């Protein structure tokens, strides 16, 4: 009986968490205008809407450069420009394409390397609304010293009534489970040994 009760409690907590997660996604769009940052990064996906949104932010001067992370290796710069609908002078000077990332973890690594190479300390992150919570976790873990401003883009997924279709329900539940997995990973890593603090100036002088 105790095992069954514990299982029911765990399922209830999981279900409440799912509702909180979907509510967060639903309320995240339309996104407010983000603060100006050093750069803009967009994570590619099935929809081109996020690419257009990120390009608009670049053209409005919200960042110095734009990284498109996770570009198909068979795509050319001309192909990507057509998709983004970017103004050619701005596209030619200020858009970088990242071909290495194949998933969200790869996006985070690719973005961290790009930001480090440019000396950027603040980024606007553009991706799908349901993908934003997990993306922010991965990006924050990859570059803890960089300020990240989310700019979620609404998708065809109905986050308000996600349970009404099997496709929306499956996508939201899978995304929520991936999000929990990353939370668990970061919590586990946080239990590890902490780096020793640098000796104080007083001790160094003694």
């Amino acid at each position: 009986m105790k095992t069954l009760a514990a299982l029911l409690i765990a399922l209830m907590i999981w279900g409440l968490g799912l509702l909180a997660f979907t509510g967060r996604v639903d309320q995240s769009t339309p996104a407010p205008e983000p603060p100006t940052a050093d750069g803009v990064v967009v994570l590619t996906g099935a929809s081109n809407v996020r690419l257009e949104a990120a390009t608009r932010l670049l053209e409005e001067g919200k960042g110095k450069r734009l990284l498109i992370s996770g570009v198909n290796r068979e795509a050319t710069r001309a192909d990507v420009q057509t998709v983004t609908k970017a103004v050619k002078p701005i596209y030619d000077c200020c858009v970088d394409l990242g071909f290495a990332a194949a998933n969200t973890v790869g996006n985070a690594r690719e973005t961290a390397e790009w930001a480090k190479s440019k000396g950027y300390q603040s980024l606007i992150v553009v991706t799908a609304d349901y993908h934003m919570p997990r993306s922010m976790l991965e990006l924050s873990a990859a570059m803890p010293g960089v300020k990240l401003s989310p700019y979620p883009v609404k998708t065809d997924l109905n986050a308000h009534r996600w349970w009404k279709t099997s496709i929306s329900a499956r996508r939201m539940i899978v995304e929520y489970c991936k999000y929990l997995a990353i939370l668990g990973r970061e919590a586990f890593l946080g239990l590890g040994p902490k780096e020793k603090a640098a000796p104080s100036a007083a001790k160094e002088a003694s």
Side-chain angles (χ1 to χ4, degrees):
M1 289 297 293
K2 290 183 178 180
T3 302
L4 179 58
L7 179 60
L8 290 175
I9 292 173
L11 287 174
M12 182 179 66
I13 294 174
W14 182 90
L16 291 174
L18 175 60
L19 292 177
F21 178 84
T22 56
R24 175 182 173 185
V25 171
D26 182 39
Q27 296 173 16
S28 67
T29 57
E33 284 297 303
T36 300
D38 292 330
V40 181
V41 58
V42 57
L43 313 185
T44 59
S47 172
N48 295 330
V49 176
R50 65 185 82 175
L51 297 178
E52 296 174 15
T55 302
R56 178 182 63 80
L57 292 174
L58 176 67
E59 293 175 346
E60 291 178 352
K62 289 294 184 178
K64 302 170 188 174
R65 299 189 68 83
L66 166 65
L67 170 66
I68 302 177
S69 177
V71 178
N72 189 317
R73 295 186 179 185
E74 297 181 0
T76 65
R77 281 193 65 87
D79 293 334
V80 178
Q81 183 192 358
T82 300
V83 172
T84 61
K85 301 179 181 179
V87 177
K88 193 174 189 305
I90 294 179
Y91 182 80
D92 289 343
C93 83
C94 305
V95 176
D96 300 315
L97 306 184
F99 295 91
N103 50 38
T104 308
V105 174
N107 290 141
R109 292 173 180 168
E110 190 168 63
T111 302
E113 292 173 1
W114 178 75
K116 183 178 180 180
S117 70
K118 302 297 181 186
Y120 290 169
Q121 293 299 313
S122 59
L123 297 174
I124 298 171
V125 180
V126 183
T127 190
D129 50 5
Y130 67 89
H131 187 228
M132 184 61 76
R134 181 161 60 98
S135 299
M136 291 295 288
L137 282 179
E138 290 288 12
L139 289 165
S140 297
M143 46 184 140
V146 177
K147 179 182 177 182
L148 303 176
S149 299
Y151 191 79
V153 176
K154 188 173 180 61
T155 63
D156 57 356
L157 174 68
N158 188 344
H160 187 63
R161 293 182 174 83
W162 55 273
W163 64 87
K164 285 204 166 186
T165 68
S166 59
I167 294 177
S168 294
R170 181 170 61 253
R171 184 183 299 177
M172 194 66 81
I173 290 172
V174 168
E175 190 64 30
Y176 172 60
C177 289
K178 290 180 178 180
Y179 175 76
L180 289 180
I182 298 173
L183 281 179
R185 183 196 70 193
E186 292 305 305
F188 176 77
L189 293 175
L191 296 175
K194 303 294 188 298
E195 293 184 4
K196 292 183 178 179
S200 64
K203 289 184 179 179
E204 290 179 337
S206 62

